[in-house]
Structures are given as C-alpha cells and as structure tokens.
Amino acid sequence: MSDPPPEPVSDSEAQPDVPPWPAWTVPAAIILGLGLGTVATILVELVGAAGGSSLSHPSPAVSIAGDIVFDLSFVAAALYFAFLGRRASLANFGFRPAAPRRAVAAFVLAVIGYYAVTAMYGAIFRLHGQDKLPSELGVTHSTAALVGAAIFVCVVAPIAEELFFRGFVFGALRHLKITVAGRDLGVWLAAVLTGILFGLVHLSSAPIQYLIPLGFLGFVLCLVRWRTASLYPCIALHSANNALALGVNQLGWNAGEIIALIVGAWLIVAAITGPLAVRAPRLV
C-alpha cells in the first residue's frame, strides 16, 4: 500500500520569513488606512480648532498630532488584516533579532548604495527644494515644536512606515511569484512594488522630483529586510536618514548635533520596539 502524498507546504512554512497574510491584503489595508487616517486627522483638526487652532493653517501641535494618528491608522490597518482569521505574530512583521554582522553589513551597503545613486540622480536632474513636512510642523517656531517634530520624523514615522511597508506590504507581496530562467524573482518584484508605493505615499510632503529617490530608498529598505530577516536595521536606517535630512536641510545643524539626534532617536526606537522581539527567534 503506497504512502499518501505529502500535503502542500505553504510559503510561510517553506520560507519562515514570509508572513501568512496574502497579497490581497495590501490594497485592502491601504484603503482602510487611508479611510481611518483621513477621519482621525479631521477629528484631530476639529479638536484643535475648538482649542483655538486654525482649520486652514493648523498649529504645529495639531499638525504633529494629525500626522501621528495618520501614520498609526496604517499600522492599525496592517495589524487588522495580518491577524484577521489567521495565526500571525509580530515576528512575522520582522520584529526579531538580527545577526549583528549581517545587519551592519546590510546597513552599510544600503547607505552606500542609496546615497551614491541619489547623488548621481541629483547631479543629473539638479534637484532643488526640500521636504515640506518639517516646516509645516513648525521646527523653527519653538523648541517644543522642534522636539515634537523630531520625535515624529525620527522615531514615530520610521517605526510606523517600516512596520507597514517593509513588515506588512513587502511580506504580503512576497507571495507573488515570477519566474525568469528558472529563478524565482518574487522578492525583487515585491521590493519594486513596495518601493513604488513608498515613494507615492510621500507625494503630499516631498517635491515630486524626490519621489524617485524615495521610491529607491523604499526598494533598498526591502532588500535590507530580506537579507537580515529583521525590521530593526530598516528602522535604524530610515530613522538616520530622516534625522540627517532634518538636521541638514531644515535646521543647518553641525555633524555633532546630527549624530546626537540619530543616536537619541535610535535609543527611543529601541526602548519602544525592543521588547517586541524578546520571544522571537533569529532566523539568520
């Protein structure tokens, strides 16, 4: 009597770093995140208006609060669809320890590659302008606004955006299969699509000529997530890049001040997200 055929192995079982939620959850989470974020932002602005802020030109505090709830709306959408009727964990998003050498190597290579390509792109197209978000958050208006904006730009946004894009979207899109010459290029397709979405989400805050570099950053961060099987190097790079942009382009800080901002942001990020990986095994 012959043995029964083996049961098919799912992607998440064959590749432990591929999460259990399918690709269709990406557009669903984007729609839900946009809806929740829009409603939450309007509510924040209405509360601010009741306290004296202008609806057409919100105060820095209202703008910062609105941006935070908007980002957290996408986090909520990602968590909802990730855990909807399936067994998932925060480790599936990448909240797991990374091998130190691999993480450092991926971080350094990503920095070199991203800034080299961005520098060439900037030289060719003569980029001008800067991110509108920090000025809208009032970084030059008061110390309180600067601190609030720095926390949002260098801590909250990197955590939320990496969880959504590299943790949720990239993971889901890795279920897509594309084979060329016998090689599965699904990871590269997922990285490209995630990078495009990451660039487009900054359409309202960055000049349009910067969307391609931002999309490339999103692509590079996906590769870091893939090679390290961890979200932490991605958050660290995202945070450092935002701190560098804020310190150089908006504040004109010197190297020591920018390094202090990066290290301070990393410490806060570690305090917030470090406990999420306590029970997660390291994959590589």
Side-chain angles (χ1 to χ4, degrees), residues 20 115 151:
Y115 284 108
I151 291 175

Side-chain angles (χ1 to χ4, degrees), residues 227-265:
R227 297 306 300 167
T228 63
S230 174
L231 204 60
Y232 290 108
C234 304
I235 297 174
L237 177 52
H238 194 152
S239 174
N241 179 73
N242 285 7
L244 186 62
L246 177 63
V248 173
N249 297 333
Q250 294 288 335
L251 303 174
W253 282 1
N254 60 42
E257 291 170 323
I258 294 172
I259 291 173
L261 176 60
I262 292 173
V263 173

Side-chain angles (χ1 to χ4, degrees), residues 94-120:
F95 287 110
R96 61 169 64 92
R101 289 186 179 180
R102 184 183 289 262
V104 171
F107 184 96
V108 171
L109 289 174
V111 167
I112 294 173
Y114 170 66
Y115 284 108
V117 171
T118 300
M120 289 188 290

